[in-house]
Amino acid sequence: MTFDTVVADRPLRGVLVGAGFIGRQWAPELLAHPGTRLVGWVDVRPERARSAAGALGRADLPVGASLTALLDAEEPDFIVNCTVPEAHHEVTVTALERGVSVLSEKPMAVTLDEATSMVAAADRARRLFMVNQNRRYMAALAAYRRTVADLGALGMLASEFLMPYKGVEFLSALEHPLLQDMAIHLFDAARAISGADPVSVYCESFRPPWTWYPGACSAMAIFEMTGGLRYTFTGSWSAHGLPTSWTGSWRAAGTRGTALWDGEDAITVGAAPSESLKPAEPEPDPYPERRRYTGLAEGLAEFVTGLRTGGLPQGECHDNLRSLAMVTAALESARTGKRVPI
Ligand SMILES: NC(=O)c1ccc[n+]([C@@H]2O[C@H](COP(=O)([O-])OP(=O)(O)OC[C@H]3O[C@@H](n4cnc5c(N)ncnc54)[C@H](O)[C@@H]3O)[C@@H](O)[C@H]2O)c1
């Protein structure tokens, strides 16, 4: 888990890969961070990168369809991988093998085999490879995490994520669009909130009769976690009415009581007899002056600190592999009908 730091006394040079929805959210962050410089933008459809750069007043930015050509020309310190999940492995390994560190969008990869080989590539190259799980930086999630830590030993954790979503194009092409795309946010949040790691899972992934997705857009899973904790997940991209928040809704029960969180602002607690509990207060927003996409500035800040100091950021690839393993084991369980060890 060690990687080489960047010692040169100059801003870190970053190349964006992918100029779709999330790539366009990352670009302003690289421009705003005082320690980074945006030096190029790659997309297999380069006109997307060109127009996105132009919209930010950076029509001069080198753009292109070839990642290797731009890496060779610009010699960046890092890339931000904002491509579709199917391209994550190729893009990340290409950068790492050229000695370039990687800050990636979730999920790390589509399969655990791909992810394991990406982590090995980072180890071989001695480069930092981090997956930005942006929900971890929500002030309310961090407050819920502190509230849950005060419940004593945890026995049960439950999350629900249900909404009617006609989202981005690539979701409709996936066999299990909920498990393969969104579930990583909830599973990683379950690890962050509980401090526990996965042991095994039983999962069913299915299509409600009315869904507009060709794939299995809904799922229910029971995880055994370390310490004997059970974590249950219920989710759907095709649930009409009463949607949960984008971070789901949560219930945790421990020896000292129960804590609920609506995934946005409201944390409520109920104490066991003769105990007393108080919800933790969220920390103030560190970036109140600008409108921003949740958790990108904070993730970039941790990544930059990691590259400069050697400190491990949240989402460092060895740790993030455990969240991805929850997804791939849930998929295996859904396909085989069996409980799967993780
Ligand atoms: N953290 C979050 O809240 C959040 C939100 C949205 C998307 N995401 C993640 O971000 C990633 C991208 O999602 P999106 O919504 O921006 O998708 P998108 O389809 O809008 O954009 C992806 C872009 O990548 C480009 N691309 C594909 N393969 C490429 C390759 N090999 N090299 C270079 N460019 C390539 C495509 O042409 C497209 O412009 C996904 O992994 C998704 O799960 C995360």
Side-chain angles (χ1 to χ4, degrees):
M1 273 194 226
T2 52
F3 51 86
D4 294 341
T5 55
V6 181
V7 289
D9 186 18
R10 52 160 176 77
L12 298 173
R13 297 166 61 76
V15 163
L16 281 166
V17 191
F21 169 74
I22 205 74
R24 292 194 302 271
Q25 315 303 313
W26 275 104
E29 301 299 348
L30 266 66
L31 294 173
H33 192 296
T36 62
R37 186 159 294 158
L38 176 61
V39 298
W41 205 336
V42 179
D43 197 295
V44 284
R45 295 168 65 178
E47 68 283 1
R48 286 193 174 179
R50 195 165 296 117
S51 82
L56 289 167
R58 288 295 313 273
D60 60 318
L61 190 72
V63 300
S66 165
L67 174 61
T68 50
L70 212 72
L71 294 183
D72 290 345
E74 300 304 325
E75 299 187 345
D77 299 294
F78 70 97
I79 64 159
V80 187
N81 188 348
C82 309
T83 61
V84 292
E86 291 69 26
H88 284 185
H89 177 264
E90 189 200 331
V91 166
T92 289
V93 171
T94 299
L96 290 170
E97 285 180 346
R98 279 177 156 69
V100 177
S101 293
V102 178
L103 174 55
S104 178
E105 262 304 333
K106 45 61 62 174
M108 184 190 292
V110 176
T111 68
L112 198 58
D113 280 351
E114 278 184 356
T116 310
S117 81
M118 293 154 89
V119 173
D123 286 343
R124 271 196 311 276
R126 298 186 54 83
R127 289 297 177 270
L128 176 57
F129 171 29
M130 162 180 166
V131 178
N132 193 55
Q133 298 286 169
N134 61 322
R135 306 291 204 282
R136 284 192 177 225
Y137 301 107
M138 290 175 66
L141 187 145
Y144 186 58
R145 181 183 193 165
R146 292 195 299 277
T147 307
V148 169
D150 200 30
L151 297 179
L154 273 193
M156 285 157 282
L157 179 65
S159 69
E160 290 189 327
F161 172 87
L162 298 110
M163 60 175 64
Y165 185 62
K166 295 194 169 101
V168 288
E169 229 172 84
F170 72 83
L171 280 183
S172 292
L174 299 176
E175 186 190 355
H176 298 271
L178 184 76
L179 287 177
Q180 288 170 294
D181 180 64
M182 187 65 204
I184 187 82
H185 281 304
L186 283 295
F187 295 174
D188 183 72
R191 286 185 58 230
I193 288 164
S194 66
D197 280 324
V199 175
S200 69
V201 63
Y202 173 75
C203 178
E204 297 197 0
S205 178
F206 55 97
R207 293 179 76 242
W210 61 84
T211 184
W212 46 93
Y213 285 96
C217 64
S218 305
M220 293 183 180
I222 306 174
F223 289 90
E224 183 186 344
M225 308 288 282
T226 47
L229 171 69
R230 296 303 191 278
Y231 162 55
T232 61
F233 166 74
T234 301
S236 179
W237 280 132
S238 298
H240 286 301
L242 300 176
T244 62
S245 76
W246 276 92
T247 320
S249 67
W250 293 79
R251 172 182 281 263
T255 47
R256 301 186 63 235
T258 287
L260 305 183
W261 178 41
D262 65 358
E264 286 173 342
D265 302 320
I267 299 175
T268 48
V269 289
S274 76
E275 296 283 359
S276 96
L277 291 170
K278 238 175 84 179
E281 285 295 322
E283 299 287 338
D285 183 351
Y287 304 96
E289 72 285 359
R290 55 195 166 102
R291 275 170 57 85
R292 27 185 290 285
Y293 194 83
T294 304
L296 304 192
E298 292 91 337
L300 181 63
E302 276 202 19
F303 181 76
V304 168
T305 303
L307 274 182
R308 289 303 193 183
T309 65
L312 288 186
Q314 297 188 67
E316 191 277 334
C317 60
H318 296 82
D319 183 80
N320 190 258
L321 206 49
R322 296 182 203 157
S323 298
L324 186 72
M326 292 174 78
V327 173
T328 55
L331 282 165
E332 187 183 334
S333 175
R335 286 172 180 141
T336 60
K338 299 205 166 100
R339 179 173 169 139
V340 172
I342 300 177

